Amino acid sequence: MREGFSIRGLSTAASIWTAAAIGVTIGLGFYAAAIGAAFLVILVMSGFRKLEAALPHHTVVQVMLVFERDQAPPAEVLRVKALEHGYEIVSWAFHLRNGSGHLEYQLTLQANGTPDPMELIDKLARTSPVVEFRLSPSRM
């Protein structure tokens, strides 16, 4: 899946294709080759997991906030609140939901350091103007 400049899910796609290839190999009767390939895939995928963990990365959180239209805070207030919790807003999207009177903010937050996302969730849950919210953490 492509999200901006990053691509996610390559290892999942590779493992699906590899499982299919091993299945075809078994279907053709080459059991020894299939078993060898399965062990090789397990070894390579485990090694890449350790390599990926060692590489530098950014923690990114996709946030969707829904406010009553007349109670929606200005963008600057959201920027300051994000900074207070250790996040910087790197992209914005706004959506006025027709008929419902709700204003939806879609934000991409980049972590500065290692902030606790549960603190952000707790704060959002206690904020009365927030009608609905969704957080999706990811790694870039």
Side-chain angles (χ1 to χ4, degrees), residues 16-29:
I16 290 170
W17 280 98
T18 304
I22 291 171
V24 168
T25 306
I26 290 171
L28 293 173

Side-chain angles (χ1 to χ4, degrees), residues 64-68 97 102-105 129-133:
M64 184 269 302
L65 299 167
V66 178
F67 296 95
E68 293 291 339
R97 294 181 177 177
H102 291 152
L103 182 63
E104 179 179 315
Y105 290 27
V130 174
V131 175
E132 179 183 343
F133 71 89

Side-chain angles (χ1 to χ4, degrees), residues 5 92 107:
F5 289 113
W92 298 81
L107 313 170

Side-chain angles (χ1 to χ4, degrees), residues 6 12 31 34 36 58 76:
S6 63
T12 303
Y31 301 113
H58 297 287
E76 182 60 25

Side-chain angles (χ1 to χ4, degrees), residues 6-134:
S6 63
I7 298 173
R8 298 179 41 191
L10 287 177
S11 59
T12 303
S15 63
I16 290 170
W17 280 98
T18 304
I22 291 171
V24 168
T25 306
I26 290 171
L28 293 173
F30 297 114
Y31 301 113
I35 291 170
F39 281 120
L40 181 64
V41 167
I42 291 169
L43 182 70
V44 168
M45 295 295 280
S46 298
F48 277 134
R49 177 175 287 172
K50 291 176 185 171
L51 176 65
E52 180 185 13
L55 292 174
H57 64 277
H58 297 287
T59 301
V60 176
V61 179
Q62 303 293 331
V63 180
M64 184 269 302
L65 299 167
V66 178
F67 296 95
E68 293 291 339
R69 183 177 184 182
D70 57 344
Q71 294 181 356
E76 182 60 25
V77 171
L78 291 178
R79 189 187 69 76
V80 169
K81 292 292 185 186
L83 286 172
E84 286 176 7
H85 292 309
Y87 294 96
E88 179 183 348
I89 299 175
V90 294
S91 72
W92 298 81
F94 304 95
H95 177 105
L96 178 61
R97 294 181 177 177
N98 287 336
S100 70
H102 291 152
L103 182 63
E104 179 179 315
Y105 290 27
Q106 295 175 0
L107 313 170
T108 301
L109 307 178
Q110 181 174 326
N112 295 326
T114 56
D116 182 11
M118 293 308 292
E119 183 181 313
L120 182 61
I121 291 169
D122 186 49
K123 181 74 172 181
L124 287 172
R126 293 182 192 192
T127 305
S128 60
V130 174
V131 175
E132 179 183 343
F133 71 89
R134 182 177 312 129

